[in-house]
Amino acid sequence: MRTVLRLALGVSASQSFSAILDLSRGKRVRAWNKLCLIASRNPRYYQRWTTIAEPAWAKALFRENPATDGLAQPICLVLDCASDYDAAVRTIASLKTAFGPDVDIWTQGSAFPECKTFATGSQIALDEALDAVLGGPAIPESAVSWLLPIKAGDLLSPWCGRALAHALRRDAACEIVYWDIDDIRDGIRRNPWIKGEWDPLLYLARDSLSRACALSGKSAIEAARRLGKQAFGSDALSALVMELVAKDDAPSPSHIPLILTHCAAPDDRLEPDHWATLVTRRWREQATLLQCGSQQPFYRVAPPEPKIWPSVSIIIPTRDKVELLSACLAGLSRLRYPGACEIIVVDNGTTQPAALRLLEELQADDTVQVIRDDGPFNFSALNNRAAAQAAGDVFCLLNNDVEALDGDWLAAMVRHAVRPDVGAVGSMLLYPDGSVQHAGVAIGIGGAAGHLARGAMPTDPDHFAWHGVTRSVSAVTAACLVVRREAYFSVGGLDAAAFPVAFNDVDFCLKLQQSGLRNVFVAEARLIHHESVSRGKDHAPANIERFNGELARFRKRWGSAEHSDPHYSPLFSRSAEPCLLAF
């Protein structure tokens, strides 16, 4: 706490005192998140982390497998050496430090002492280059050689040899091992990109592998032959990696949660122009460039439109608060959804005259169904009751305090939801000031679950703005959740007995995940959320006992206090929702 406060004060004393004031008013989670976000803007935060915390993380990783002895010995391919000879020398030195002085290094474009080279005067094809470094076109079945491409100027961590050996011992069947990265300029490291376990959606949005991975040699040469003749270089290697991960029954790449590559400059990590073409051709997805911040390029990747758009039932629980329901319905009036839609408003004991008049008007509308339920507030039961009466092939659970920003959000979510391997689909929810309220839920934050990157702006550059990109997540919020009818009922809907108010959506998503489905956060579907305005805060005295009971049941059912979310790096703090590196 003292470290975070000291670093936050170093950035902005006024913002820090504002957060402390929130803390004194009982707004503990929001105040702590504010302080963490402010502290993370202090350049000294990352420098302190690399000095103090990073070595401890490395030692902890290696302790998991004490049988790992010695260093991995991949064949290292140094690319584009002719552009900067001195930078290539630094790269080669880092490879020798990481893997030992006898590591096998091949260079492209220039010759270096104790290294092998090809294509010094002319270009060489990708498959020919791999044949040369692996010893010829006939790769024996027993071959276990690994290839590590690296761009001249980039530096490898001294821990890489031991970390790669650890990863290969842990997952012998993998074909790709990848890790985290940052930038290094003038000897100072900055701008880390901390990654989670393998997620194809995030990979399609940005090439997270090519600059920080090792490849199985045998699998790589087979993929190169499938690709046909391509000039050896960075573009061909990114196509090769995509070929490996996109093939049928490909094992998932294995992730090392450590920063093992230090890139020479941020601009060097920008995707080649052909990335969208690769995605569209190999994955048959539609990719368009999406700029996240000043220098954070991602591709917006959308699944193909369904041949027949399913019908959707939009379910809105409400009580009083006519201004919220009116704004929610006004947003729905702008909806541009190609299929049929019905709106089901579940009234939970409204008494305010203006709200009652609005409900009467809705009952006269053929496109709206009003269900009355005057029992105690039970969010799960209200949605389950509406789902039982809904006609749609797809359900959209929508809070009455959510406002749509455009008419395209539902179609964007349904395109993912109709896929047979997908369970719940969530949207990006923003506070009225434009900051993030929901960009996916990570299990384990606070010993339970939390909204990752809460309080950040969608275009904030931290970790290459991954929070603003469509990706797989463990859970999404039911404030705006789309799910197929059969998936909803296959897990019994929301658990009204155990989770009447809190954690019902997270529990629901985890049940879907347990059944073999994956949950998806769709960043391009953006709505405004006036969070919990309609039902009050969980820290209000009347709600504390109820909330504590739900929290205890959630922790017991899912073991969230010890859970490690595969989509949320263990390097991130579990005590705050902003993606803050943990000491």
Side-chain angles (χ1 to χ4, degrees), residues 221-305:
I221 190 62
E222 291 171 353
R225 289 167 185 156
R226 292 196 298 271
L227 286 173
K229 292 296 180 184
Q230 296 195 34
F232 179 71
S234 298
D235 286 0
L237 281 166
S238 62
L240 174 69
V241 172
M242 182 174 288
E243 181 69 21
L244 278 173
V245 299
K247 72 173 183 177
D248 294 338
D249 301 322
S252 295
S254 181
H255 177 232
I256 301 174
L258 283 177
I259 299 168
L260 299 178
T261 297
H262 313 303
C263 296
D267 292 344
D268 287 341
R269 287 214 305 258
L270 304 187
E271 260 60 18
D273 293 337
H274 75 308
W275 184 251
T277 303
L278 286 177
V279 171
T280 303
R281 183 179 71 234
R282 190 63 182 85
W283 290 76
R284 296 180 295 279
E285 310 283 277
Q286 299 171 13
T288 55
L289 187 63
L290 171 68
Q291 195 73 14
C292 298
S294 59
Q295 289 186 335
Q296 310 303 327
F298 274 95
Y299 286 94
R300 176 182 286 139
V301 179
E305 293 186 2

Side-chain angles (χ1 to χ4, degrees), residues 46 181-183 189-193 266 269 296 461 463-464:
Y46 186 53
I181 56 178
D182 64 9
D183 299 325
R189 290 171 53 190
R190 64 193 80 194
N191 194 26
W193 183 8
R269 287 214 305 258
Q296 310 303 327
H463 309 293
F464 272 69

Side-chain angles (χ1 to χ4, degrees), residues 47 93 96 107 118 163 167 216 261 265 294 317 337 365 375 399 417 434 441 457 484 531 545-546 574:
Q47 293 166 22
K96 291 181 177 291
T107 60
F118 45 74
S216 160
T261 297
S294 59
Y337 179 69
D365 189 332
N399 278 15
V441 171
M457 299 304 292
R484 298 188 314 280
E531 184 185 21
E545 184 177 356
R546 182 268 308 160
R574 294 166 62 92

